[in-house]
Amino acid sequence: MKKLLTAAFLLSFIIFKASAQNNEAATTTANYTALQQKFVNLKFGMFIHFNIPTYMDADWPDPEAPASAFNPKKLNADQWAKAAKSANMTYGCLTTKHHSGFCIWDTKTTDYNVMNSPLKRDVVKEYVDAFRKNDLKVMLYYSILDTHHKLRPHNITQKHFEMVKAQLTELLTKYGKIEAIIIDGWDAPWSRISYDDINFEDVYHLIKSIQPNCVLMDLNGAKYPAEGLFYSDIKTYEMGAGQRISKENNIMPSLACLPLQQNWFWKTSFPTIPVKDAAKMVAELTTLNKADCNFILNVAPNRDGLFDDNALVALKEIGKLWKSDGPAPKLAATGAPIISSNIAKNKPSNSSWSDDSEIMDFANDDDFTTSWTSSKTVEKPWYEIDFGYDTEFNTIALTERKPNITAYHLEYLQNGVWKPILNGNTTSRVKIHRFNRVWGTKIRVSIDKAEGQVSIAEFGVYNERR
């Protein structure tokens, strides 16, 4: 009997995994543009920063602050939802866990959670129930950086990675359909946790295997070029940190965020300090929507778990001034984002000669603000990466400093022989090419035609799972 049960379990697991893989494949091909369109069509939503920092007068509080500090005695998620409706918002997004690691849902992964606070109620559940009851879509925010559990630079272990996956699995299985998840504290100068420290591709595939139609956004994509999708289904712009979308030239489905109050989390001064002007927020929203950008405005609940009166008044005023005029214009297809590790990063490189000091090492340093620039004296520039041993790859992303390359070809070195990959004529700044997997010790791009001096900001090579 035990063998039969084991066999049945294994068969069920295999069927489940096959179904998840099929769903994921559908998400990243036929449904991909449709998901982006649906997200941009939502136009305007509410960010809700509510967590242990609410009680500390700091966005980054002491990570050893006790769970007992979290005590919203009048918590009312229905007030939040009705306030969002008053502003004609279409969705909400709640901080399930911020950088200090406190979980405001009934998690089995850590004792540092809301069930061990005086509240002893699942805030995530109350939020999703209230927003759905008010016909609003539901999104979640989750931080990779976790100072309480010491998931920070130079301390990351496999146990941390398992915790991240377990927490995301809980959030995506316990609360029904999640339209999107915003991830923070990853690959940012202030978090210093790379996409390799906590493997982005693993997390991406996990999320898509559970909820294929959940849009994933990483809130720290500012270092990547605006013309390409890297480590996010949607381009993100944190306006409070100085990140600005090009309202005239944006070509990617995007998200921009800003707090209505002075900071993301509630501060004791908030009830007496004016919030941002409603008319200015509506002007910002209208301009962003015209640039294929969804706008999410943060409203911070106070220590009772309620919005302050000045925030409620501003939201009602926004609702009087703005109403959605229908779906956004049809988006151009972007293709799937880059989600794999860049195996060319900091590998030995070589090139035809450079322009003065802008030598080849700058084209694979994981910094899009630096570049290799070819010497004006070179008629046919080329650039190559040397892996030093047979390496498998199936994707190349070539990002120029300024787009002027109009014809080029890619090839790889295998057993001492250069073999062709493809000829390209993509004129956009970011040129992403996917092809059948090959093995080679070197990879080279040769420039056949360019309208000016060639300059490559990053030459990325990836071995995607597909």
Side-chain angles (χ1 to χ4, degrees):
M1 178 61 72
K2 186 179 289 187
K3 288 182 178 179
L4 287 173
L5 288 172
T6 301
F9 171 79
L10 287 172
L11 180 60
S12 298
F13 179 76
I14 290 167
I15 293 170
F16 168 79
K17 288 295 286 182
S19 174
Q21 288 167 358
N22 287 336
N23 284 339
E24 189 176 343
T27 300
T28 55
T29 52
N31 294 340
Y32 195 78
T33 301
L35 287 175
Q36 293 173 322
Q37 185 76 56
K38 184 179 177 183
F39 177 81
V40 173
N41 287 349
L42 290 174
K43 293 195 171 181
F44 186 32
M46 177 182 281
F47 223 161
I48 305 168
H49 274 63
F50 183 58
N51 205 286
I52 207 122
T54 305
Y55 300 86
M56 301 291 146
D57 250 3
D59 284 2
W60 285 44
D62 182 348
E64 299 307 319
S68 59
F70 188 82
N71 190 19
K73 294 179 180 179
K74 299 178 182 178
L75 176 66
N76 185 354
D78 192 64
Q79 186 222 35
W80 306 348
K82 284 182 167 55
K85 290 287 280 190
S86 76
N88 293 315
M89 292 171 167
T90 59
Y91 67 91
C93 184
L94 176 67
T95 53
T96 64
K97 184 182 81 165
H98 202 252
H99 309 325
S100 53
F102 186 72
C103 300
I104 58 171
W105 76 96
D106 185 7
T107 180
K108 307 305 178 189
T109 63
T110 176
D111 291 335
Y112 198 51
N113 71 69
V114 69
M115 305 311 287
N116 293 311
S117 76
L119 182 67
K120 300 188 187 305
R121 286 155 49 191
D122 188 325
V123 180
V124 174
K125 184 179 190 308
E126 294 189 20
Y127 150 75
V128 298
D129 288 348
F131 272 63
R132 288 188 182 125
K133 185 179 74 173
N134 286 276
D135 298 319
L136 294 160
K137 306 291 186 186
V138 169
M139 302 181 190
L140 302 175
Y141 164 107
Y142 176 87
S143 173
I144 295 292
L145 177 67
D146 183 335
T147 53
H148 177 82
H149 297 95
K150 297 180 172 53
L151 200 172
R152 50 186 173 78
H154 319 303
N155 290 274
I156 297 170
T157 66
Q158 183 63 28
K159 188 176 179 180
H160 283 131
F161 191 27
E162 297 304 322
M163 181 188 73
V164 167
K165 291 189 289 185
Q167 289 180 345
L168 288 170
T169 298
E170 286 181 341
L171 291 170
L172 292 166
T173 55
K174 294 177 64 173
Y175 304 105
K177 183 179 181 182
I178 305 301
E179 299 289 330
I181 187 159
I182 295 177
I183 299 187
D184 198 8
W186 212 358
D187 197 46
W190 48 268
S191 75
R192 294 166 292 125
I193 299 172
S194 76
Y195 292 138
D196 297 325
D197 294 331
I198 296 292
N199 187 271
F200 186 93
E201 192 169 21
D202 283 345
V203 171
Y204 188 91
H205 283 293
L206 172 69
I207 290 170
K208 297 294 185 176
S209 71
I210 300 170
Q211 293 211 29
N213 293 327
C214 179
V215 173
L216 184 149
M217 290 167 281
D218 182 14
L219 206 51
N220 302 294
K223 84 174 188 183
Y224 296 97
E227 299 86 349
L229 279 183
F230 292 80
Y231 308 101
S232 190
D233 290 334
I234 301 287
K235 292 295 293 185
T236 61
Y237 297 88
E238 187 176 335
M239 298 172 69
Q243 299 168 19
R244 291 291 185 271
I245 187 172
S246 172
K247 295 165 185 174
E248 296 79 23
N249 302 313
N250 180 53
I251 60 173
M252 294 288 164
S254 303
L255 171 77
C257 59
L258 198 67
L260 177 66
Q261 295 131 317
Q262 298 298 308
N263 304 91
W264 294 105
F265 282 98
W266 189 85
K267 305 294 185 290
T268 52
S269 60
F270 277 11
T272 57
I273 293 179
V275 299
K276 290 183 175 67
D277 181 72
K280 289 182 179 178
M281 290 299 93
V282 169
E284 192 73 64
L285 165 61
T286 303
T287 304
L288 289 167
N289 283 172
K290 288 178 180 177
D292 296 332
C293 185
N294 185 326
F295 182 44
I296 184 167
L297 182 66
N298 187 76
V299 189
N302 60 31
R303 291 178 182 176
D304 282 332
L306 299 171
F307 290 151
D308 292 330
D309 289 341
N310 56 359
L312 292 171
V313 169
L315 290 168
K316 286 180 182 177
E317 185 62 24
I318 288 170
K320 291 176 184 177
L321 297 173
W322 182 85
K323 291 179 176 60
S324 174
D325 58 359
K330 186 177 180 181
L331 296 171
T334 64
I338 294 292
I339 63 172
S340 305
S341 296
N342 180 7
I343 58 177
K345 182 170 62 178
N346 298 324
K347 293 292 184 184
S349 58
N350 198 9
S351 70
S352 55
W353 191 236
S354 312
D355 188 359
D356 205 351
S357 62
E358 294 189 288
I359 62 174
M360 63 285 294
D361 307 322
F362 290 117
N364 69 327
D365 60 353
D366 198 36
D367 184 347
F368 289 85
T369 67
T370 63
S371 60
W372 163 69
T373 303
S374 176
S375 170
K376 293 178 182 177
T377 64
V378 177
E379 191 173 325
K380 294 289 184 182
W382 55 269
Y383 179 87
E384 72 181 27
I385 299 293
D386 186 353
F387 295 114
Y389 53 86
D390 264 353
T391 302
E392 54 184 333
F393 50 90
N394 56 13
T395 302
I396 292 171
L398 176 66
T399 302
E400 298 180 71
R401 179 164 63 187
K402 293 183 178 180
N404 60 22
I405 298 174
T406 56
Y408 51 95
H409 62 275
L410 295 164
E411 54 192 341
Y412 66 104
L413 186 68
Q414 187 181 70
N415 297 325
V417 178
W418 285 102
K419 297 183 177 182
I421 298 175
L422 56 87
N423 293 314
N425 56 11
T426 302
T427 56
S428 61
R429 183 186 174 211
V430 179
K431 311 171 194 300
I432 297 177
H433 293 289
R434 291 177 164 96
F435 44 87
N436 291 332
R437 184 171 283 105
V438 297
W439 286 259
T441 55
K442 293 183 180 181
I443 184 166
R444 175 187 289 176
V445 59
S446 298
I447 312 305
D448 300 314
K449 186 178 180 182
E451 306 299 328
Q453 204 167 353
V454 170
S455 186
I456 296 177
E458 281 297 308
F459 188 79
V461 182
Y462 311 88
N463 185 34
E464 295 183 335
R465 298 176 205 168
R466 42 185 161 92

